[in-house]
Amino acid sequence: MCGLVVIQDNNSRIDRKLIPAIHQAMHHRGPDGNAYYYQPDLLMCHNRLAIEGEKEELQPLYSVDGQCIAVVNGELYPYQMLRQQLQQQGYHFQTQSDSELAIVLYQHYGLDFVHHLRGEFALVLWDKKRLSLIAVRDRFGIKPLLYGQEEVYGQDNASMKSGRWYLASEAKALFAAGFKAKWSRQGVAECFSHQYLLPGSSLFAGIKQLPPGHILIIKQGRAQLHCYWRMSFSHQSSSDNILDQLTQAVSIRIPSRQPCAFSLSGGLDSSAVVALAARELTYQPDCYCVSFDDNDYDEFQSAAQFAKRQGYRLHQVKVSRDDLVNYIDDAAFYSEGLAINGQYVGKFLLNKAIAADGYQVVMSGEGADEAFMGYAHLLNDYCCYELTGSERSTALAQLINSYPLQQGLMLADGAQNHESDQIIPSFLVAKFSFSLMFKELFKHDFCAEVNQLVIQKRLINNYTESLPASQLASLIWTELALANYILNTLGDGMEMAFSLEGRLPFLDHPLFESATGLATTHKLNKLTTKLVLRKSLANILPAEIIERKKHPFIAPPILQNLSKTTYEGIFDRLSTQTFKQNPVFDQKKVLKWINNWQLVSEVEQKRRDPILMMLLSFAALQSQFSLTDMEKH
């Protein structure tokens, strides 16, 4: 895991005095050293977190002939096997770093090299011969990569794009390079419409995310974006190899030079990862579990029971409601995203505890629910749209009773219109309902300028694929929630705050493609999710884990059982002069809304929790990055 910044400018000289500030802004991503390549028209900076390869091997990396230069963030697998294959074809390597594979694969395959990259990665490569800057992001968005051009204004105040391109792992590194920090009107509107950014969007003006599975080519100041991979259900696969593929995905992610920690909830996914890894480890696994101060939301006892049975060490990371407020500024700074639940701070404190014990790598189970349809809202869509008659009504009633924590948050309140020509996934119906609550808190100008219904329709209309409801919902969820919240905000952002690399075996793309190639009935029935995964792991995990229903990683609502100290902390954060100057929310409306929390029911307090967490994280981002302005129309 590392951090990178690339600046290219064909019109004006890049100031090399920017380099120290850039490296300092990325120090948390790579505390083990930094280096750069500089020409007046091109700057490539890199901070290294040394996990694989020799510690003194810094980037940028150079091809043997000097024609290609690359900066890489993440890990490529299986390194040794690919290295040997390329050496047998006459290619030479200059380092022991897995990142060098990117250069050699590019030299061998050209732009098709992206199809031979496997792992968690984001990279930028400069081809001197073709004068091309090539940026690539992994298939799921596990590793971040931002890019953009800053706006400049002429004498008539008309805006235009400058000739300078920026690429970086984090926005704060771009701000350190001189990029003006402003809110993106579109990105902010998307988040307050349906909680998740659309593919490619960011919260910051002039800055885009390179979408997962995409390659960006910049040549002669012009950029072209190409998709090289997208989630698909069109191929057919067999369930016979699922366990073998998962075993391999875990195995290739075990670090060769240092021990690895594990995130463990006691659920199917995280338990499978540590159990399969433990077969190969020469040390007792250290597992870490967030423990909330509410039994309905706490998973520690399930994790403790499993860890004790297996002989693993389990570390309890206690997170209180006060913590959910007190750490939100730090979590916002490193994640650069908005919170929709206290899980935001929970992941921050989990990674803090893991890093404090000396670990640099943590393995976890994210991605299993996307690959094998593990979410209750996907089961809801399957029952609602793909079952009929009494079978549908019975299944939906049982589902609502089985997943009470998700009602109104991920599962829509009330019945869905399953006879409509247009399928709207259950999770989006739930998310859209929050937009009405936000609208009451907006400043008049922002409310007048942003039509949330138009944004929501645009989102739905982006997905014209003719797919069954459960598959369409899975695709939309994976491209919105997984990429832009679970992996980016909760994942990489919270991990790299503590120089910690996350590795995700369930997002090994050969395994994922096998899972999505299975018929939906291999994964869902009326009451159960992830059927084929449960069957594959039956001889690996105890029955209580195999049979356990999905328990989402959700923190308890902070408005419930709210202490005076926590309330005062919330009120103080939203009462500042800085927050008053924000371009989105009317401070008087917000404070009145906060003051009314005691007058509403517990059900309503639960419904308001995502609104409050988004408000608090918005205020934190505004304060941390001095975001008082928003881009012009």
Side-chain angles (χ1 to χ4, degrees):
M1 191 72 65
C2 307
L4 62 88
V5 171
V6 175
I7 303 174
Q8 186 190 43
D9 194 327
N10 294 326
N11 300 326
S12 59
R13 186 183 186 90
I14 299 169
D15 188 351
R16 66 188 306 156
K17 292 180 180 178
L18 295 172
I19 295 171
I22 290 172
H23 283 312
Q24 181 58 39
M26 294 195 298
H27 180 75
H28 58 287
R29 297 193 67 91
D32 296 324
N34 59 69
Y36 62 88
Y37 170 83
Y38 176 80
Q39 292 295 321
D41 61 348
L42 179 65
L43 173 63
M44 304 177 76
C45 294
H46 190 272
N47 282 56
R48 183 166 186 235
L49 176 63
I51 294 174
E52 307 292 352
E54 301 299 327
K55 192 162 186 175
E56 64 274 9
E57 291 174 346
L58 300 177
Q59 297 188 36
L61 297 167
Y62 301 83
S63 62
V64 172
D65 62 7
Q67 292 301 302
C68 293
I69 308 170
V71 284
V72 182
N73 170 29
E75 299 294 336
L76 300 174
Y77 315 106
Y79 164 60
Q80 290 296 345
M81 184 185 78
L82 286 173
R83 180 187 175 102
Q84 290 173 7
Q85 290 175 354
L86 290 163
Q87 286 176 326
Q88 289 171 1
Q89 296 181 63
Y91 290 96
H92 298 281
F93 287 77
Q94 302 182 86
T95 73
Q96 295 299 313
S97 172
D98 62 289
S99 296
E100 195 176 358
L101 281 172
I103 287 180
V104 181
L105 287 170
Y106 174 73
Q107 289 182 308
H108 185 64
Y109 293 106
L111 290 176
D112 284 340
F113 84 121
V114 293
H115 301 294
H116 300 270
L117 298 173
R118 179 181 180 184
E120 305 97 4
F121 59 86
L123 63 91
V124 181
L125 185 148
W126 172 241
D127 185 328
K128 290 184 178 180
K129 184 177 180 180
R130 295 176 175 83
L131 298 177
S132 296
L133 202 60
I134 300 161
V136 186
R137 193 174 179 200
D138 67 62
R139 294 163 179 81
F140 304 98
I142 303 170
K143 299 306 163 206
L145 189 56
L146 305 172
Y147 73 98
Q149 287 179 289
E150 195 166 26
E151 286 190 340
V152 295
Y153 294 90
Q155 292 181 347
D156 58 355
N157 207 34
S159 67
M160 65 186 75
K161 295 294 183 183
S162 70
R164 178 167 294 190
W165 284 97
Y166 296 81
L167 302 97
S169 299
E170 297 182 5
K172 63 179 68 66
L174 294 182
F175 300 154
F179 206 100
K180 176 68 173 176
K182 294 182 181 180
W183 289 113
S184 163
R185 186 178 305 276
Q186 183 65 30
V188 169
E190 289 170 4
C191 282
F192 294 125
S193 168
H194 41 74
Q195 297 189 350
Y196 306 120
L197 291 164
L198 292 178
S201 294
S202 90
L203 289 172
F204 309 109
I207 299 175
K208 296 181 179 180
Q209 294 188 72
L210 181 59
H214 278 68
I215 179 170
L216 178 74
I217 303 172
I218 301 174
K219 188 171 184 178
Q220 295 180 339
R222 296 182 178 181
Q224 290 184 324
L225 191 64
H226 304 277
C227 178
Y228 71 88
W229 187 91
R230 196 180 187 205
M231 183 178 181
S232 172
F233 302 92
S234 61
H235 56 284
Q236 294 184 348
S237 57
S238 168
S239 61
D240 295 341
N241 298 324
I242 293 297
L243 180 58
D244 289 341
Q245 288 182 304
L246 177 57
T247 301
Q248 185 193 52
V250 171
S251 179
I252 61 177
R253 284 166 173 77
I254 296 173
S256 60
R257 297 183 175 222
Q258 58 180 281
C260 174
F262 297 86
S263 176
L264 179 66
S265 68
L268 181 71
D269 313 331
S270 60
S271 299
V273 169
V274 66
L276 291 173
R279 293 174 158 191
E280 298 188 34
L281 300 181
T282 57
Y283 51 88
Q284 185 182 25
D286 272 313
C287 303
Y288 295 78
C289 180
V290 170
S291 182
F292 294 117
D293 57 358
D294 186 318
N295 290 336
D296 288 341
Y297 296 83
D298 188 35
E299 297 183 89
F300 180 73
Q301 292 306 318
S302 297
Q305 183 180 1
F306 174 70
K308 182 178 180 180
R309 176 171 179 162
Q310 301 292 113
Y312 309 151
R313 282 190 298 266
L314 180 63
H315 305 263
Q316 184 179 23
V317 182
K318 293 184 178 181
V319 179
S320 69
R321 281 177 171 83
D322 286 345
D323 291 333
L324 299 182
V325 175
N326 293 336
Y327 286 94
I328 201 164
D329 287 339
D330 290 339
F333 176 77
Y334 287 106
S335 72
E336 298 182 352
L338 296 175
I340 60 175
N341 178 261
Q343 66 206 168
Y344 183 84
V345 170
K347 286 296 292 283
F348 179 80
L349 294 177
L350 173 70
N351 292 315
K352 181 180 181 182
I354 295 171
D357 286 345
Y359 285 102
Q360 290 183 301
V361 178
V362 59
M363 217 179 293
S364 60
E366 278 89 351
D369 291 313
E370 286 74 19
F372 294 96
M373 293 187 168
Y375 292 110
H377 60 82
L378 299 180
L379 185 56
N380 183 88
D381 293 325
Y382 172 74
C383 294
C384 184
Y385 292 100
E386 297 172 50
L387 300 182
T388 59
S390 61
E391 186 180 28
R392 172 170 52 215
S393 57
T394 301
L396 288 172
Q398 292 175 323
L399 187 146
I400 290 171
N401 292 330
S402 298
Y403 298 94
L405 293 183
Q406 300 189 54
Q407 196 63 32
L409 299 177
M410 304 303 301
L411 292 171
D413 281 324
Q416 288 176 259
N417 182 9
H418 54 79
E419 296 180 355
S420 171
D421 292 335
Q422 188 174 41
I423 296 171
I424 302 180
S426 175
F427 86 90
L428 281 181
V429 175
K431 300 303 182 185
F432 289 168
S433 69
F434 290 111
S435 67
L436 298 176
M437 299 174 69
F438 274 121
K439 194 171 184 178
E440 298 174 0
L441 305 176
F442 288 155
K443 287 183 174 178
H444 175 76
D445 290 347
F446 184 78
C447 191
E449 294 168 358
V450 176
N451 189 323
Q452 290 170 298
L453 289 177
V454 170
I455 295 170
Q456 292 166 5
K457 287 180 180 178
R458 185 188 304 134
L459 164 60
I460 296 299
N461 292 336
N462 279 346
Y463 292 88
T464 58
E465 290 83 356
S466 179
L467 293 172
S470 57
Q471 292 183 354
L472 179 64
S474 183
L475 172 63
I476 297 174
W477 171 269
T478 299
E479 294 190 344
L480 266 65
L482 178 70
N484 292 323
Y485 187 67
I486 297 172
L487 298 180
N488 199 344
T489 301
L490 298 183
D492 180 86
M494 301 306 185
E495 291 157 357
M496 291 313 299
F498 304 101
S499 307
L500 188 64
E501 177 174 285
R503 298 188 178 183
L504 311 177
F506 280 105
L507 292 180
D508 192 52
H509 77 272
L511 168 65
F512 195 93
E513 289 172 350
S514 290
T516 56
L518 296 171
T520 300
T521 51
H522 280 79
K523 292 170 277 191
L524 297 177
N525 66 17
K526 291 179 288 185
L527 294 174
T528 308
T529 62
K530 295 187 283 197
L531 292 170
V532 67
L533 183 60
R534 296 176 194 276
K535 181 180 178 181
S536 299
L537 294 168
N539 295 324
I540 307 296
L541 299 175
E544 60 267 22
I545 299 295
I546 295 293
E547 297 167 3
R548 188 185 181 206
K549 282 186 170 65
K550 171 71 178 177
H551 189 295
F553 178 57
I554 297 176
I558 57 177
L559 283 174
Q560 292 182 356
N561 302 314
L562 188 63
S563 70
K564 181 180 179 182
T565 301
T566 305
Y567 170 76
E568 290 174 349
I570 292 171
F571 199 85
D572 288 347
R573 290 166 188 274
L574 300 175
S575 300
T576 64
Q577 187 66 26
T578 300
F579 183 70
K580 184 177 181 179
Q581 295 172 351
N582 86 83
V584 177
F585 292 102
D586 184 310
Q587 188 179 53
K588 289 183 179 180
K589 293 178 182 178
V590 169
L591 296 179
K592 181 179 178 180
W593 184 82
I594 296 293
N595 272 330
N596 288 340
W597 71 272
Q598 288 180 308
L599 304 178
V600 301
S601 66
E602 285 195 7
V603 172
E604 181 63 17
Q605 288 175 2
K606 177 182 174 182
R607 286 190 71 242
R608 288 186 173 200
D609 189 64
I611 308 295
L612 179 57
M613 292 306 300
M614 293 186 80
L615 277 168
L616 290 171
S617 54
F618 178 87
L621 285 172
Q622 182 195 9
S623 175
Q624 294 283 9
F625 298 114
S626 302
L627 292 162
T628 56
D629 295 330
M630 183 171 280
E631 65 185 338
K632 299 179 181 179
H633 282 295

